Amino acid sequence: MITIRRAKVSDAISLAPRLRSADRDECRAALGMEPGIVLPLLVQGGCVWAGVDQHGEVFGLFGIDPVKGMDHLGIVWMVTSPDIFKHRRDLLKLAPEWLDRLHHVRPLLGNHIDARNTTHIRWLKRMGFSFLRTHPEYGVEKRPFHEFARLR
């Protein structure tokens, strides 16, 4: 069984070197920074939760960031270790409840995802997100990223 709890900086530090390669590549492509730098900053600055297994090991982080001047929009994100695949069933049960919670904070959820991150693209589709358009040169590395959103 897994639990979801508020993330701590130590969670981000422990997860960063264990990220799925697609999440690590996406972080670099979009922001031009290593996850070991970005993740602790995200935990310190926002609403971030950790997925934790029965042994206390963090297998993922997710969060929602506000957009200045747009109270209805929240930028959602998620990064995981390969261990996420061990917890698919639990995540499928918990995800709708957590999406509802996020929608109570912001009715419109969205972000951009690296077109190479096929596992998380499938997850987003399964969770009811719509893909709006592809930006052919997004982020620091100017790679294709898909814009996605979900309205409550």
Side-chain angles (χ1 to χ4, degrees):
M1 187 66 181
I2 64 170
T3 56
I4 306 293
R5 61 161 169 74
R6 281 292 223 173
K8 301 178 272 190
V9 172
S10 60
D11 298 330
I13 292 168
S14 75
L15 179 63
R18 298 180 291 113
L19 283 183
R20 293 174 47 250
S21 60
D23 287 340
R24 190 176 312 108
D25 292 345
E26 183 174 312
C27 186
R28 290 176 183 147
L31 304 171
M33 294 190 291
E34 292 297 318
I37 295 169
V38 174
L39 294 180
L41 293 173
L42 289 170
V43 170
Q44 288 176 336
C47 295
V48 182
W49 295 269
V52 183
D53 70 15
Q54 66 273 19
H55 306 292
E57 184 86 14
V58 175
F59 62 85
L61 297 174
F62 68 96
I64 183 170
D65 298 319
V67 178
K68 189 175 181 179
M70 301 180 81
D71 292 340
H72 63 285
L73 176 61
I75 303 299
V76 291
W77 57 271
M78 179 173 75
V79 293
T80 65
S81 76
D83 289 342
I84 192 170
F85 300 110
K86 297 177 185 176
H87 308 293
R88 283 185 204 155
R89 286 190 179 151
D90 288 336
L91 288 170
L92 285 172
K93 290 177 189 171
L94 291 173
E97 173 191 340
W98 278 93
L99 280 170
D100 283 347
R101 288 182 183 195
L102 297 177
H103 274 303
H104 283 293
V105 176
R106 306 282 182 195
L108 178 60
L109 305 175
N111 202 344
H112 296 82
I113 187 167
D114 191 323
R116 300 172 294 173
N117 198 342
T118 56
T119 298
H120 281 174
I121 289 169
R122 282 192 309 273
W123 173 256
L124 288 166
K125 287 179 179 178
R126 187 166 190 162
M127 294 298 106
F129 284 87
S130 297
F131 284 75
L132 309 174
R133 60 185 164 175
T134 299
H135 299 271
E137 294 185 353
Y138 183 87
V140 173
E141 292 184 3
K142 306 287 187 216
R143 293 189 177 272
F145 271 64
H146 303 304
E147 184 176 357
F148 64 90
R150 185 174 189 257
L151 183 61
R152 174 175 47 161

